[in-house]
Amino acid sequence: MKWPKLALPTKIMLGLLLGAAFGIVANRAGWQDFVGEYVKPVGTAFVKLITMVVIPLVFASLLVGTASLNDIRKLGRIGICTAAYYVTTTVIAISIGLVLANIFKPGASLPEETKAQLLASGAQDMTAKVEQMKQKPSLKDTLLNIIPSNPIQSFAEGKMLQVIFFALLTGICLTLVPDTRGAPVIAFFEGLNDVMIRMVHVIMHIAPYAVFALIAAVTANFGAEILRVLTKYALVVLLGLILHACLVYSMAVKVLARTKVWPFFKGIRPAQLIAFSSSSSSAALPVTMECAEENLGVPREIASFALPLGATINMDGTALYQGVAAAFIAQVYGMDLNVGQQLTIVLTATLASIGTAGTPGAGMAMLVIVLKSIGVPIEGIGLILGLDRILDMCRTAVNVTGDASCAMVVAAMDGQLGQGPRR
Ligand code: ASP
């Protein structure tokens, strides 16, 4: 019998469903060790492979993107549109999260016993997270840290903001040197960019198996118990994420980019699936770029500028989650948040989401900053630790969707969006 040839997104979706089903069976049968030992490594290999491409791709594509914008004024215009879109959607996301948390009050009715149990189960991980956050530098140092003192070291250590800074500056300076000098450099990085994108195509062939393995590992380890207890909190986060994606991105695509909404969601699906299964916007970045260029008609110069930036600084899903989580923890502790405190959440969660790395679990670590700003005990994070992974998967999918919608809107505003989505 000849198997029908399936498109890659369909295969990835199939991998996701089969992986989840297998994980549930493994969970019931107690095969967690087997899954961890023999199944998960396929997923880990995929994430490592795709992460391997990220730094050279971000550097080459941002450099070429910036240099090909050619004049500083155009770069400034595109830069301002991109930043404005990112900040506005982030603020809307947190507001949606807070409104929902105020309406549904997920933390108000948690029984004392459950609360104690959750805090105890999260206590160990919690100590590690708090320790980690204690080492966080001040705002001044964080800003100074964006400037690399040695770019090669930034590459080696994967310091994304430093790499972005160096790439932008190099791209700008390339437009300032004579063509005879600048052109060969740009040509080299264009070549490197193409090679990296090709590499992503090759790696993507194992995506369906990787997605199967990653999802199986998550579901196998998932304690169904904790899920039941925290269902209301999780549902509020999920509802917020869905509302944000359906309302804000749909409106942006329809009104600002003036194109159809459905092809947008269809075109970005492969990136969403990779983001969902890897919980990492950085790992999904190469796929997001490919989807934006191939399926959404975003020109390369804009995709390679807006998307690497977005994967690092724009996290609407994370911001929304931080808003709900902060309100939830405050409610559990019986604290009534006033308007001032809620505005503080909006401000700090915006900054925290910008500072969050596009890696699994990073958003939860940054939640400490939000909690501290409103005087909520940070130990409260222990309450939501058990559920973090599954919510991380969902918020990361929203994060990359937000990046892609921005690339489309900016391209449309610049009159450069291809004749609508191509497929
Ligand atoms: N995992 C998220 C991302 O990579 C960040 C987070 O919210 O933890 O986009």
Side-chain angles (χ1 to χ4, degrees):
M1 190 177 93
K2 202 163 179 282
W3 287 93
K5 217 169 161 8
L6 298 176
L8 191 60
T10 317
K11 283 193 202 160
I12 298 177
M13 189 65 119
L14 212 60
L16 191 84
L17 295 176
L18 291 176
F22 177 72
I24 291 169
V25 174
N27 180 274
R28 293 274 156 81
W31 296 341
Q32 284 88 344
D33 289 347
F34 171 83
V35 174
E37 201 60 32
Y38 300 104
V39 181
K40 196 177 172 202
V42 180
T44 313
F46 173 77
V47 173
K48 285 189 80 174
L49 279 168
I50 208 135
T51 310
M52 168 182 87
V53 182
V54 168
I55 291 281
L57 179 69
V58 166
F59 186 70
S61 72
L62 257 185
L63 180 147
V64 174
T66 317
S68 59
L69 288 176
N70 228 341
D71 74 83
I72 300 276
R73 285 225 302 282
K74 187 169 179 194
L75 178 65
R77 199 174 62 233
I78 298 219
I80 288 172
C81 283
T82 308
Y85 184 90
Y86 283 157
V87 173
T88 314
T89 50
T90 302
V91 170
I92 296 176
I94 307 168
S95 310
I96 293 180
L98 283 177
V99 169
L100 293 180
N102 281 310
I103 296 176
F104 294 107
K105 299 207 180 320
S109 54
L110 213 61
E112 275 305 312
E113 199 182 309
T114 318
K115 195 171 109 182
Q117 203 184 343
L118 283 171
L119 281 172
S121 69
Q124 216 177 0
D125 281 350
M126 185 52 228
T127 323
K129 284 268 179 302
V130 173
E131 279 309 311
Q132 200 182 330
M133 288 310 294
K134 275 194 188 141
Q135 291 157 10
K136 283 269 161 206
S138 66
L139 182 67
K140 179 192 79 195
D141 289 339
T142 310
L143 291 177
L144 281 175
N145 266 342
I146 298 177
I147 307 171
S149 42
N150 176 355
I152 303 297
Q153 194 178 0
S154 319
F155 286 107
E157 291 174 359
K159 297 232 165 89
M160 204 64 130
L161 278 177
Q162 297 191 350
V163 173
I164 288 179
F165 182 84
F166 187 61
L168 288 177
L169 210 56
T170 315
I172 292 172
C173 293
L174 272 171
T175 64
L176 302 177
V177 294
D179 254 7
T180 45
R181 297 292 179 161
V185 180
I186 297 177
F188 171 78
F189 281 106
E190 264 169 355
L192 183 65
N193 198 15
D194 286 352
V195 174
M196 290 302 124
I197 289 174
R198 192 75 232 167
M199 204 178 276
V200 174
H201 282 214
V202 174
I203 298 170
M204 281 303 282
H205 282 109
I206 62 164
Y209 309 101
V211 167
F212 175 96
L214 291 168
I215 296 295
V218 174
T219 31
N221 285 328
F222 222 99
E225 191 52 30
I226 206 134
L227 191 64
R228 218 184 48 229
V229 175
L230 290 176
T231 306
K232 198 164 168 194
Y233 155 72
L235 285 180
V236 172
V237 176
L238 291 181
L239 177 67
L241 292 176
I242 293 170
L243 280 179
H244 187 71
C246 292
L247 297 179
V248 180
Y249 300 148
S250 299
M251 289 254 283
V253 167
K254 199 167 173 65
V255 179
L256 299 177
R258 283 185 226 97
T259 90
K260 293 206 185 92
V261 173
W262 176 241
F264 165 71
F265 283 106
K266 186 169 176 242
I268 194 65
R269 199 158 56 205
Q272 287 175 329
L273 290 171
I274 298 299
F276 183 79
S277 47
S278 67
S279 292
S280 166
S281 334
S282 292
L285 174 65
V287 188
T288 317
M289 289 178 71
E290 195 189 322
C291 291
E293 287 175 29
E294 297 289 320
N295 305 349
L296 307 178
V298 176
R300 180 168 289 187
E301 63 173 46
I302 290 187
S304 46
F305 178 79
L307 295 174
L309 267 185
T312 315
I313 65 168
N314 179 51
M315 302 203 177
D316 296 348
T318 300
L320 188 148
Y321 147 87
Q322 286 172 338
V324 179
F328 171 76
I329 296 171
Q331 287 164 3
V332 172
Y333 282 104
M335 297 168 62
D336 247 342
L337 296 179
N338 59 29
V339 178
Q341 282 170 311
Q342 308 228 13
L343 285 177
T344 311
I345 295 185
V346 175
L347 185 70
T348 45
T350 304
L351 294 176
S353 73
I354 291 175
T356 302
T359 51
M364 197 182 56
M366 296 299 275
L367 182 60
V368 172
I369 297 178
V370 183
L371 295 182
K372 269 192 176 164
S373 71
I374 48 167
V376 170
I378 41 182
E379 288 68 26
I381 289 188
L383 292 165
I384 52 169
L385 268 180
L387 264 190
D388 191 63
R389 179 64 194 216
I390 191 89
L391 293 180
D392 195 2
M393 293 158 70
C394 303
R395 65 186 187 244
T396 309
V398 172
N399 290 346
V400 301
T401 313
D403 299 342
S405 72
C406 175
M408 259 186 122
V409 167
V410 172
M413 285 185 160
D414 214 53
Q416 292 197 60
L417 191 60
Q419 304 297 307
R422 289 186 202 152
R423 275 194 248 156

